[in-house]
Amino acid sequence: MASMVRKLKYHEQKLLRRLDLVNWEVSGGNLAEVRALRRYRLGRREDYVHYKALARAVRALARRLRDLGPASAAFRARCAAALLEKLHGLGLVNSRQSLAVCESLSAAAFCRRRLPCLLVKLRMAQNLRHAVTFVEQGHVRVGPEVVTDPALLVPRLLDAQESELLLELSCYQGTRGERGDSWGVSSKQGGQILHFWNC
């Protein structure tokens, strides 16, 4: 029996890029991708594709380091320590002890380090939808610069306890924003100050 559905034109494929309604059974990984796009409020599918590619590259590098022979043990230890230090500094892994944590790195770790996710984690926004809106409207500063891109990955240089303590102190001190009609909440995250101005 011939198919009654015509082939989609280019602009129609571009519009239905996230969801393939015609060949739903064929697209196996598409459902998980759409679920991640919704969960982390990613505006562009390309960001998630880049995160998957980066996580795949880190896993491949960790496997190659693990498979090096005993003759290059010093080189392997030096490279593994550098890789773990870099990933821990970015906030993608929690421990710097073994390469096993690198082999389980996923794109969700990159999504959790985005600025709106950190705003929700630090309780500067109620949910991800509000956090993305606040960032896009320019209510958030990282250091001296106003950030309007929700895809910003914030590195981690300080412990979460110090961040929450600074957030609580700034809330109780009632710090005012640069404009007279707003109140400011600050949090020290990643060696920089995250400022959230509520209008």
Side-chain angles (χ1 to χ4, degrees):
M1 184 172 147
S3 176
M4 298 286 294
V5 180
R6 66 175 172 81
K7 185 178 178 188
L8 294 176
K9 296 179 182 174
Y10 174 75
H11 70 280
E12 294 170 340
Q13 287 178 351
K14 192 173 179 184
L15 288 174
L16 295 174
R17 165 177 48 191
R18 294 185 187 170
L19 192 61
D20 190 3
L21 298 175
V22 178
N23 299 320
W24 180 262
E25 297 85 15
V26 176
S27 58
N30 198 16
L31 186 61
E33 192 171 292
V34 170
R35 193 175 294 143
L37 290 173
R38 285 184 187 160
R39 178 177 180 185
Y40 295 109
R41 290 280 178 179
L42 300 178
R44 296 182 304 232
R45 180 183 171 271
E46 292 82 19
D47 290 340
Y48 189 72
V49 171
H50 289 310
Y51 297 154
K52 282 196 321 188
L54 284 172
R56 191 178 318 116
V58 168
R59 288 193 305 265
L61 181 62
R63 277 194 301 272
R64 291 181 73 184
L65 284 175
R66 182 194 62 196
D67 294 340
L68 285 176
S72 58
F75 174 74
R76 177 177 54 199
R78 190 171 61 246
C79 289
L83 177 65
L84 287 169
E85 184 65 35
K86 177 64 94 175
L87 292 177
H88 186 266
L90 289 174
L92 300 175
V93 296
N94 291 329
S95 68
R96 292 177 259 195
Q97 295 176 350
S98 75
L99 281 175
V101 293
C102 294
E103 292 177 5
S104 63
L105 186 70
S106 65
F110 287 96
C111 294
R112 285 190 295 266
R113 294 307 299 176
R114 289 168 58 101
L115 184 58
C117 291
L118 287 179
L119 290 177
V120 172
K121 180 181 173 185
L122 294 172
R123 295 194 176 113
M124 290 183 170
Q126 291 178 353
N127 53 33
L128 272 175
R129 184 173 57 93
H130 290 156
V132 169
T133 304
F134 289 147
V135 171
E136 286 175 347
Q137 290 178 354
H139 295 293
V140 180
R141 285 193 303 155
V142 177
E145 297 181 16
V146 175
V147 177
T148 57
D149 185 19
L152 176 73
L153 294 178
V154 180
R156 172 184 54 194
L157 295 177
L158 297 174
D159 292 332
Q161 292 86 12
E162 293 175 355
S163 299
E164 291 174 6
L165 178 63
L166 187 58
L167 175 65
E168 290 176 16
L169 286 176
S170 63
C171 286
Y172 286 123
Q173 289 172 353
T175 53
R176 302 282 295 177
E178 292 173 345
R179 302 175 296 209
D181 61 339
S182 63
W183 52 271
V185 177
S186 301
S187 174
K188 195 161 189 180
Q189 176 75 19
Q192 299 173 344
I193 302 288
L194 293 175
H195 298 283
F196 172 62
W197 304 110
N198 186 11
C199 296

